[in-house]
């Protein structure tokens, strides 16, 4: 009895923590998506009284098609006001008391949030669930993540194919031309009250909410300002969500980009859900993008669902981590695997948050001669959260599998020095985390705190190289690698983020061989160059001298990803990358000056690629296990590519390593250099290569090096002897004398002869 009383008290407190104040007045439209938009809540004692929980079931359907859709329009209730504070949420898992929710939980976020009245949908056409069930957070069905296919979306009419129902997905982006195929929303063919867009969940689902956006467009302003919600079990007979005795009118958007969430007053169980616009922007059309919140009900007989179910057997922490939780997770991994991990930071963000990295190696903290260095970077755009979480999952996985004796992982850890930087822009991430996975829109948290896009904040070395090549100064005056950073970029007045400077210093300090920066919003691997060479062009295939190597590196990730090379999958937004098997040359996609990929290639030895890991930048927490399964093998395979090509030591006759020696490959107009110990790694595809090592003061050495198809770099060492002039100088300096300068001696003799003749 005592247990039952305690449980009742806990449940009462949980309900009390999440009870809304009801319907408020209409608020002004949000102008800036970066502003904090919150919602005011009040605690009403009546919600603490528990009610018996009826069995959830689909509401009885009225006779006749379209019932509840037409007829006189009921008086519109007071529109719910926009959010002004975060609600408290009943805790999940095994916590026994309500707690203050972490910002960014999926049902408590920034953006626009409206709340419906508790008494709605209580008429005889719908059966309300218990109040604790009302407040359960249901995940998105998957319009944004493409789990909902185009065949599950239907509409009354469409303006054209590019504005069809299949384009009515939350955060979908329009093409540059906003053409017939790729536009930025579903738009009805007519502007009247009979238009609708619906989703077929293909199974009974407990629908709990609707999120809407306007049309993504550079030129037009179209959005829906209010709508009705209907549900059905057969797509013919529809039940409208009620507010007392009348149809409930939900407040929509006040501009086209900020998502607006409306939670249903009571969850509705059905297979189909329909949005019926009631009003829209005066100077625009009926256009919207949307996401539906709902919990699929168990149905063991539903073959379609079981066939498409994705599970994981990895025991990892599948949740979103804010800055504090990320640090704690890193600490846990370090304590689990103290012999192979090290936590360090490469600098601080604009707001003073440390940029933490985790090193995974059998000798953490030191560079081992002959062992290549690899890195993953995520979170350059703070709102592209999936990459960050994949990095946190990867470090857990490597630790667990190493302890379990997984031979593949043990070999990778012992033969590679791996660095993982999960959050390059923690300031931006904290903004996105407060908004949450569905209400942050497309860009909240993308930039640093001072408004800089890190992804293209690096020095433009491409122009310096190409101008020198046009003047035929390479490599005589300007090298084809290790191009120096311009002085203006290093000045304090330059518009350079502190995070960018930290990454540059990090890459100059550690001799990285291969790296991947994880981004979001697409599903493709982009390789350099990212900047077009021709003036006035925005798209042009611009290959590097190592184009074949970059293509292989990109394909190694894409081909092992579960979806990237799937020819049947739908494009995320506008680009179809299947013609290149899920890869793309960055410049042929869209030109970017000062990208991390181009800078890394031209200023360091590191071959860097951009890996876009998902259409949804910030997927719901429930999607993380599937996203991990999509990317796990690819993440490991890509790291293994650091061992492809040739490696070796460049030493003098005494066996001492020669730092900064240049390694050239015949036929490839891009060199690399040795590290401080004289070791080097040169990524190459299988084949036979003529390789030359040269260093200042030494005679060059050339040899043939064969790269095989088996994993593992070919050893290709060089021993260089000093030139005669270098030996003379060394001897003269040893005895305290300066080497004779022959040109100066000649000039001196000529002057003496002139004086004698004069």
């Amino acid at each position: 009895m005592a247990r039952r009383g305690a449980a009742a008290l806990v449940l009462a407190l949980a309900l009390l923590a999440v009870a809304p104040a009801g319907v408020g007045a209409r608020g002004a439209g949000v102008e800036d998506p970066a502003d904090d938009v919150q919602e005011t809540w009040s605690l009403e004692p009546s919600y603490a009284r528990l009610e018996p929980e009826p069995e959830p079931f689909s509401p009885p359907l009225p006779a006749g098609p379209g019932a509840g859709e037409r007829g006189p329009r009921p008086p519109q209730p007071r529109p719910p006001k926009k959010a002004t504070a975060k609600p408290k949420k009943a805790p999940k898992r095994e916590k026994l008391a309500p707690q203050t929710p972490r910002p960014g939980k999926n049902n408590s976020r920034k953006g626009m949030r409206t709340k419906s009245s508790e008494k709605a949908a209580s008429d005889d056409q719908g059966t309300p669930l218990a109040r604790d069930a009302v407040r359960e957070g249901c995940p998105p069905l998957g319009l944004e993540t493409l789990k909902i296919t185009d065949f599950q979306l239907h509409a009354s009419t469409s303006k054209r194919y590019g504005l069809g129902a299949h384009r009515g997905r939350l955060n979908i982006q329009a093409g540059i031309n906003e053409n017939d195929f790729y536009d930025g929303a579903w738009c009805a063919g007519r502007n009247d009250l009979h238009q609708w867009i619906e989703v077929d969940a293909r199974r009974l689902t407990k629908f709990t909410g609707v999120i809407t956006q306007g049309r993504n467009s550079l030129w037009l302003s179209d959005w829906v300002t209010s709508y009705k919600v209907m549900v059905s079990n057969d797509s013919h007979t529809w039940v409208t969500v009620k507010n007392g005795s009348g149809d409930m009118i939900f407040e929509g958007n006040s501009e086209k980009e900020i998502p607006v969430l409306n939670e249903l007053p009571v969850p509705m169980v059905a297979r189909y859900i329909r949005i019926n616009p009631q009003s829209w922007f005066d100077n625009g059309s009926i256009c919207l993008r949307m996401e539906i919140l709902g919990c699929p009900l168990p149905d063991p007989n539903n073959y379609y669902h079981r066939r498409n179910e994705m599970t994981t057997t990895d025991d990892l922490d599948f949740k979103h981590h804010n800055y504090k939780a990320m640090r704690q997770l890193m600490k846990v991994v370090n304590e689990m695997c103290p012999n192979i991990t090290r936590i360090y930071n490469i600098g601080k963000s604009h707001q003073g948050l440390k940029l933490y990295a985790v090193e995974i190696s059998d000798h953490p903290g030191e560079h081992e001669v002959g062992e290549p260095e690899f890195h993953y970077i995520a979170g350059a755009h703070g709102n592209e959260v999936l990459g960050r979480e994949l990095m946190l999952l990867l470090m857990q996985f490597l630790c667990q599998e190493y302890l379990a004796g997984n031979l593949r992982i043990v070999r990778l850890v012992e033969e590679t020095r791996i660095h993982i930087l999960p959050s390059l822009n923690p300031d931006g991430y904290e903004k996105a985390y407060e908004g949450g996975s569905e209400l942050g829109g497309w860009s909240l948290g993308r930039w640093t705190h001072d408004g800089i896009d890190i992804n293209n904040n690096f020095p433009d070395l491409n122009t310096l190289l190409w101008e020198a090549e046009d003047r035929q100064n390479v490599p005589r005056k300007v090298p084809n690698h290790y191009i120096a950073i311009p002085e203006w970029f290093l000045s304090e007045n330059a518009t350079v983020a502190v995070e960018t400077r930290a990454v540059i210093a990090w890459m100059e300090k550690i001799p990285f061989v291969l790296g991947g920066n994880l981004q979001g919003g697409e599903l493709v691997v982009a390789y350099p160059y990212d900047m077009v060479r021709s003036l006035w062009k925005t798209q042009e295939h611009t290959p590097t001298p190592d184009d074949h190597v970059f293509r292989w590196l990109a394909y190694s990730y894409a081909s092992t990803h579960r979806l990237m090379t799937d020819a049947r999958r739908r494009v995320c937004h506008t680009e179809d990358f299947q013609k290149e098997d899920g890869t793309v040359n960055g410049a042929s996609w869209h030109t970017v000056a000062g990208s991390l990929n181009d800078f890394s290639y031209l200023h360091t030895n590191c071959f860097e690629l951009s890996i876009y890991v998902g259409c949804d930048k910030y997927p719901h927490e429930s999607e993380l296990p599937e996203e991990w399964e999509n990317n796990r093998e690819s993440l490991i395979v890509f790291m293994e590519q650091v061992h492809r090509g040739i490696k070796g030591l460049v030493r003098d006759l005494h066996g001492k390593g020669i730092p900064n020696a240049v390694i050239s490959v015949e036929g490839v107009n891009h060199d690399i250099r040795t590290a401080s110990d004289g070791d080097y790694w040169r990524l190459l595809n299988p084949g036979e290569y003529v390789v030359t090592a040269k260093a200042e003061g030494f005679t060059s050495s050339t040899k043939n090096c064969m790269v095989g198809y088996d994993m593992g770099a070919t050893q290709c060492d060089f021993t260089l002897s000093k030139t005669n002039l270098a030996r003379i100088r060394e001897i003269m300096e040893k005895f305290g004398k300066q080497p004779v300068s022959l040109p100066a001696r000649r000039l001196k003799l000529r002057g003496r002869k002139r004086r004698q003749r004069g």
Side-chain angles (χ1 to χ4, degrees), residues 482-744:
Y482 271 49
I483 299 175
I485 298 175
E487 291 186 8
W488 66 264
F489 188 90
L490 301 174
S491 68
E492 294 182 0
N493 297 327
T495 307
V496 181
V498 293
E499 297 88 348
T500 305
R501 296 190 189 278
V503 170
I504 291 175
W506 184 50
M507 298 183 72
E508 290 178 335
K509 180 180 179 181
I510 300 176
F512 291 117
V513 179
L514 177 62
N517 56 89
L518 274 62
Q519 301 189 44
E522 263 298 350
L523 201 56
V524 68
V525 182
Y527 55 89
Y529 289 123
D530 289 332
M531 180 180 175
V532 298
R533 183 161 186 168
S534 301
L535 295 176
W536 314 115
K537 285 191 176 182
T538 58
Q539 293 177 313
E540 181 185 50
H541 182 72
T542 310
T544 65
D546 285 287
D547 189 58
H548 292 294
V549 177
F550 275 115
R551 284 175 179 269
W552 167 254
L553 293 171
Y555 184 71
S556 70
Y557 193 100
S559 62
T560 50
H561 189 280
R562 287 187 62 251
L563 299 175
M564 275 191 191
T565 55
D566 186 353
R568 299 168 299 173
R569 77 172 181 87
R570 183 195 186 283
V571 299
C572 290
H573 300 283
T574 63
E575 302 286 346
D576 185 0
F577 299 108
Q578 291 308 309
K579 59 185 177 182
E580 293 189 46
D581 293 317
T583 69
V584 67
N585 173 256
S588 67
W589 182 13
H590 55 262
T591 184
V592 174
S595 73
L596 172 57
N597 294 349
D598 290 2
F599 169 79
S600 178
Y601 182 67
L602 295 177
H603 186 68
T604 74
N605 287 339
C606 185
F607 285 32
E608 185 90 17
L609 292 85
S610 293
I611 304 169
Y612 293 79
V613 291
C615 303
D616 189 351
K617 292 182 177 182
Y618 195 157
H620 188 271
E621 201 166 87
S622 62
E623 300 290 333
L624 294 179
E626 181 171 350
E627 293 294 353
W628 167 246
E629 287 296 319
N630 289 343
N631 289 275
R632 179 184 59 190
E633 180 65 16
S634 300
L635 291 168
I636 297 171
V637 167
F638 188 71
M639 286 190 288
E640 292 173 335
Q641 302 312 304
V642 76
H643 296 284
R644 183 174 294 280
I646 60 174
K647 66 177 182 179
L649 284 166
V650 179
R651 293 172 287 201
D652 61 19
L653 294 176
H654 303 289
K656 183 180 179 181
I658 302 174
N660 224 28
V662 177
I663 306 297
S664 302
V665 177
E666 187 178 279
V668 182
N669 188 26
H670 182 80
D671 304 332
I672 60 144
R673 300 198 182 193
T674 58
S676 57
D677 296 308
D679 47 349
Y680 77 92
W681 307 264
R682 181 58 163 98
L683 297 177
L684 292 169
N685 285 340
E688 185 174 355
Y689 298 91
V690 178
V691 184
T692 301
K694 53 188 175 183
E696 186 176 355
F698 293 87
T699 57
S700 62
S701 175
T702 301
K703 62 172 57 177
N704 292 340
C705 301
M706 176 70 72
V707 178
Y709 287 90
D710 295 335
M711 186 57 65
T714 301
Q715 192 77 25
C716 200
D717 297 327
F718 294 89
T719 300
L720 305 184
S721 58
K722 291 190 175 181
T723 62
N724 292 335
L725 181 58
R727 286 200 295 269
I728 291 172
R729 286 176 176 171
E730 184 178 318
I731 293 171
M732 297 291 286
E733 289 174 0
K734 184 176 180 180
F735 293 98
K737 298 181 179 180
Q738 294 298 320
V740 177
S741 176
L742 296 180

Side-chain angles (χ1 to χ4, degrees), residues 9 41 201 290 509 515 648:
L9 178 60
W41 297 79
M290 67 177 183
K509 180 180 179 181

